[in-house]
C-alpha cells in the first residue's frame, strides 16, 4: 500500500500515476543533493513556497553543512543544489561553496540576483566564479512589470544590474565556463508556456533591450504550497488552477519527476523528497530515521516518494523541476 | 441541467464536443491542432489572432482559453489589448463598410 497524504486532488493524482504504472512512486537513486540552507531572504515574494523573508531566522549550521559535504562525496551524487530563502544570507555560504568546490561536483547556487548588489554580499559573485559555481537566477518575467508584481518594487531593474555584473565576470558568456541560468515562473494562476519559446522571448528582450546574456531558461510550474497556495485561495483561483494541473497531467513527465533522483536537506538536516515536501514538512519515508549523514544513501536511493495533490505541479504538461521542464 | 446557458466548467467539456459525431469531432480536433499550432506563423502570433477572434465572436470559452494561453506564452497585457483593438477596429470597419449599402440606397432613392 502506497502513501497517500490528505490533500485535495491527491487521490486523483495517485489514480493517474497508477494508470501509468508509477504508483507507488519510488526513487531511482540520489544524484542531486539539494540543500535549503536558510529561510531568510531580503525579499518576500508572493509565490514563495517556503515563505522566506527578512523576518525568518532558520539557518543551516556549519556542522550540518559538513555532514552534507561528506554525503555529497558519494560517487552517485553529481550535483549539489544550494537554495533557500536567499542562500547568500547564510553566513557560511562562502565556506560551503569553497568546500563543495573541492569535490569536483556540479554546484549550483539559487539566487534572487538582487541580493548580489547589497552591502555585504557584493563579493559573492567573484567567490562563485572562483569556485566554478553555477548561478541560477530568479527572473519570473522578462517584462519588468510582472517581475515586480511578484517580487517587489524595483526588483527588475536591480536584477538586470546583477545579471550585468555576473556577465562582467564571464557568467552567461560563451566559452567562459561560467553558467548563469534564469528561472521563469508564471506571475499568476496559469501554467508556463513552452520553455524553448519563452527562452527565445527572454533572449530577445534581455539581450536586445537590456544588453545582458544568460545560458538557459528553466521554466517552473508554480506549486500550490506556501504563499502561492494562499494567493490561489484568496484570489478564488485554487480550484481552476488544480483542475488545469490535473488536466495537463503528462505520464512522460511523471516518470521523470525530480524527486526520483533528488534528496532535499532542510536547514536542520532533515530529509525530504523535494523542496515542496520540505515546505509541507513531509519528511522522507524510510525504514531508518535520521538526518543527513545518519542514513546511508543506498537506503534512501530506493525510498518510496511521499505524494500529495501538490505533486500535480511537477507532472503538468512538459513537467517541472528545479532544472526546468522535464520533457520537450 | 444548469440554469445558465454559459458555465465556466463547460470549457472543461470541450474535448467531448465530438460526442454523437465522433468522426467529424476527430477531424475537427485534427484541423484545430494544425490551424492553431506553430507553422509559418509562430504560436505567439496565432494566439494573439485567436484572442482577437474570440473577443469579436464573443466566445467566453475561447476568451478564457486564449487569455490564459497568451499569459503562459509571456505575451504582455499591452500586446493582448492591441490585438483586441485590431478585432474591434475590424468589427467597426465591417459595420461601416456595410453602410455603403445604405449610402447607395439613399443616393438611388433621394431626388
Amino acid at each position: 500500500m502506497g502513501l497517500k497524504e490528505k490533500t485535495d486532488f491527491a487521490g486523483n493524482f495517485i489514480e493517474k500515476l497508477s494508470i501509468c504504472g508509477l504508483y507507488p512512486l519510488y526513487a531511482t537513486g540520489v544524484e542531486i543533493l539539494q540543500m535549503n540552507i536558510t529561510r531568510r531572504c531580503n525579499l518576500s515574494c508572493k509565490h514563495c513556497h517556503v515563505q522566506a523573508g527578512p523576518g525568518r531566522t532558520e539557518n543551516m549550521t556549519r556542522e550540518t553543512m559538513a555532514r552534507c559535504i561528506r554525503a555529497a562525496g558519494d560517487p552517485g551524487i553529481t550535483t549539489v543544489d544550494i537554495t533557500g530563502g536567499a542562500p547568500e544570507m547564510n553566513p557560511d555560504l562562502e565556506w560551503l561553496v569553497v568546500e563543495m568546490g573541492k569535490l569536483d561536483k556540479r554546484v549550483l547556487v539559487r539566487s534572487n540576483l538582487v541580493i548580489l548588489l547589497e552591502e555585504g554580499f557584493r563579493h559573492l559573485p567573484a567567490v562563485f566564479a572562483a569556485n566554478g559555481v553555477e548561478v541560477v537566477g530568479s527572473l519570473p518575467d522578462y517584462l519588468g512589470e510582472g517581475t515586480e508584481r511578484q517580487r517587489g518594487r524595483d526588483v527588475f531593474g536591480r536584477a538586470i544590474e546583477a545579471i550585468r555584473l555576473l556577465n562582467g565576470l564571464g557568467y552567461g558568456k560563451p566559452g567562459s565556463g561560467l553558467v548563469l541560468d534564469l528561472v521563469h515562473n508564471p506571475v499568476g494562476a496559469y501554467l508556463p508556456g513552452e520553455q524553448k519559446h519563452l527562452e527565445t522571448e527572454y533572449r530577445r528582450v534581455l539581450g536586445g533591450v537590456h544588453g545582458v546574456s544568460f545560458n538557459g531558461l528553466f521554466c517552473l510550474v508554480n506549486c500550490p504550497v506556501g504563499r502561492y497556495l494562499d494567493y490561489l485561495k484568496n484570489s478564488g483561483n485554487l480550484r481552476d488552477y488544480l483542475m488545469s494541473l490535473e488536466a495537463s497531467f503528462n505520464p512522460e513527465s511523471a516518470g521523470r519527476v525530480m524527486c526520483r533522483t533528488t534528496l532535499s536537506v532542510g536547514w536542520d538536516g532533515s530529509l525530504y523528497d523535494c523542496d515542496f515536501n520540505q515546505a509541507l514538512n513531509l519528511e522522507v519515508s524510510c525504514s531508518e530515521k535520521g538526518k543527513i549523514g545518519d542514513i546511508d544513501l543506498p537506503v534512501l536511493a530506493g525510498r518510496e516518494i511521499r505524494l500529495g495533490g501538490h505533486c500535480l505541479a511537477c507532472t503538468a504538461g512538459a513537467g517541472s523541476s528545479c532544472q526546468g521542464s522535464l520533457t520537450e | 441541467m444548469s440554469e445558465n446557458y454559459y458555465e465556466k466548467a463547460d470549457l472543461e467539456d470541450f474535448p467531448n464536443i465530438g460526442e454523437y459525431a465522433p468522426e467529424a469531432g476527430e477531424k475537427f480536433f485534427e484541423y484545430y491542432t494544425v490551424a492553431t499550432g506553430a507553422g509559418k506563423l509562430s504560436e505567439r502570433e496565432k494566439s494573439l489572432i485567436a484572442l482577437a477572434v474570440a473577443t469579436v465572436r464573443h466566445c467566453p470559452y475561447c476568451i478564457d482559453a486564449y487569455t490564459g494561453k497568451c499569459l503562459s506564452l509571456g505575451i504582455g497585457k499591452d500586446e493582448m489589448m492591441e490585438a483586441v483593438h485590431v478585432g474591434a477596429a475590424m468589427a467597426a470597419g465591417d459595420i461601416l463598410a456595410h453602410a455603403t449599402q445604405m449610402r447607395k440606397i439613399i443616393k438611388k432613392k433621394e431626388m
Side-chain angles (χ1 to χ4, degrees):
Chain A
M1 185 64 187
L3 298 165
K4 181 179 171 181
E5 303 304 332
K6 288 180 183 174
T7 312
D8 289 341
F9 287 81
N12 298 353
F13 177 65
I14 285 169
E15 193 182 328
K16 284 178 183 299
L17 280 187
S18 301
I19 290 167
C20 50
L22 285 168
Y23 182 73
L25 186 68
Y26 291 104
T28 56
V30 180
E31 295 169 16
I32 300 170
L33 187 73
Q34 188 171 63
M35 302 169 60
N36 193 318
I37 65 170
T38 183
R39 293 286 167 94
R40 289 199 73 194
C41 189
N42 56 326
L43 303 179
S44 297
C45 301
K46 288 181 183 167
H47 72 301
C48 184
H49 63 279
V50 295
Q51 307 191 63
R56 300 295 294 260
T57 54
E58 304 94 322
N59 263 332
M60 185 180 279
T61 62
R62 193 177 280 208
E63 186 198 344
T64 302
M65 287 180 180
R67 290 163 75 101
C68 291
I69 293 164
R70 281 196 292 279
D74 183 281
I77 292 181
T78 59
T79 304
V80 177
D81 184 341
I82 302 168
T83 187
E88 295 91 338
M89 294 187 87
N90 184 311
D92 288 319
L93 173 67
E94 196 172 332
W95 176 81
L96 176 64
V97 297
V98 170
E99 293 303 311
M100 281 295 186
K102 296 173 185 170
L103 295 181
D104 197 25
K105 308 272 179 181
R106 180 182 178 215
V107 179
L108 320 174
V109 171
R110 293 182 187 272
S111 176
N112 65 35
L113 296 171
V114 297
I115 196 166
L116 300 175
L117 303 176
E118 299 285 324
E119 191 66 44
F121 302 99
R122 289 179 197 158
H123 66 293
L124 285 173
V127 175
F128 296 158
N131 291 279
V133 170
E134 294 183 21
V135 176
V136 182
S138 299
L139 195 70
D141 195 350
Y142 62 87
L143 302 171
E145 183 265 337
T147 292
E148 299 196 354
R149 230 175 330 114
Q150 184 175 89
R151 304 180 80 79
R153 195 187 294 176
D154 299 332
V155 165
F156 184 74
R158 286 190 287 146
I160 295 294
E161 200 181 329
I163 295 173
R164 198 166 285 125
L165 172 80
L166 289 163
N167 286 166
L169 292 169
Y171 273 104
K173 295 285 184 188
S176 71
L178 294 172
V179 176
L180 169 63
D181 291 319
L182 298 179
V183 174
H184 162 83
N185 61 286
V187 186
Y190 52 91
L191 307 186
E194 191 191 343
Q195 184 168 281
K196 198 166 58 180
H197 164 87
L198 281 163
E199 185 176 302
T200 303
E201 290 302 306
Y202 266 68
R203 232 178 265 293
R204 179 176 68 81
V205 174
L206 296 188
V209 178
H210 302 286
V212 294
S213 58
F214 61 98
N215 292 92
L217 183 75
F218 298 161
C219 269
L220 268 61
V221 175
N222 286 317
C223 189
V225 168
R227 282 192 202 125
Y228 189 67
L229 177 62
D230 292 341
Y231 154 74
L232 290 173
K233 284 179 182 167
N234 296 336
S235 61
N237 280 303
L238 181 60
R239 181 192 169 277
D240 284 352
Y241 188 72
L242 291 173
M243 290 291 287
S244 61
L245 290 180
E246 194 181 304
S248 310
F249 177 84
N250 178 356
E252 197 184 343
S253 300
R256 299 181 185 184
V257 282
M258 64 177 173
C259 52
R260 303 191 81 184
T261 53
T262 299
L263 182 65
S264 164
V265 188
W267 67 273
D268 62 352
S270 298
L271 301 174
Y272 306 89
D273 297 313
C274 69
D275 211 46
F276 302 119
N277 278 5
Q278 186 175 145
L280 291 166
N281 208 25
L282 298 174
E283 289 190 47
V284 289
S285 164
C286 190
S287 54
E288 297 174 29
K289 298 282 172 206
K291 296 186 185 297
I292 184 71
D294 294 335
I295 309 173
D296 290 338
L297 288 185
V299 177
L300 289 159
R303 72 190 185 276
E304 184 181 342
I305 306 295
R306 297 189 73 178
L307 304 171
H310 63 287
C311 301
L312 284 163
C314 291
T315 58
S320 180
S321 76
C322 292
Q323 307 284 320
S325 298
L326 298 164
T327 60
E328 283 291 313
Chain B
M1 185 72 189
S2 86
E3 292 297 308
N4 302 312
Y5 287 111
Y6 287 125
E7 291 284 344
K8 186 173 170 53
D10 289 346
L11 182 56
E12 292 153 19
D13 187 55
F14 187 63
N16 302 320
I17 57 167
E19 191 178 13
Y20 307 136
E23 196 184 338
E26 199 176 309
K27 288 194 186 307
F28 162 74
F29 277 115
E30 201 178 306
Y31 167 69
Y32 186 88
T33 305
V34 172
T36 59
K40 298 278 185 195
L41 297 182
S42 68
E43 195 180 7
R44 190 176 208 278
E45 290 163 332
K46 288 191 175 181
S47 295
L48 284 166
I49 293 169
L51 179 65
V53 172
T55 48
V56 169
R57 298 286 302 164
H58 301 175
C59 175
Y61 309 121
C62 302
I63 293 170
D64 189 346
Y66 280 95
T67 300
K69 183 156 189 194
C70 287
L71 288 171
S72 291
L73 291 171
I75 296 173
K77 294 186 288 259
D78 50 354
E79 295 172 284
M80 289 160 69
M81 199 61 204
E82 272 192 30
V84 170
H85 274 294
V86 173
M90 290 299 292
D94 174 3
I95 292 166
L96 292 173
H98 278 80
T100 304
Q101 306 303 321
M102 176 195 74
R103 286 166 41 237
K104 276 161 61 179
I105 293 166
I106 290 171
K107 281 168 187 156
K108 186 180 176 195
K109 294 204 169 183
E110 275 190 341
M111 283 181 180

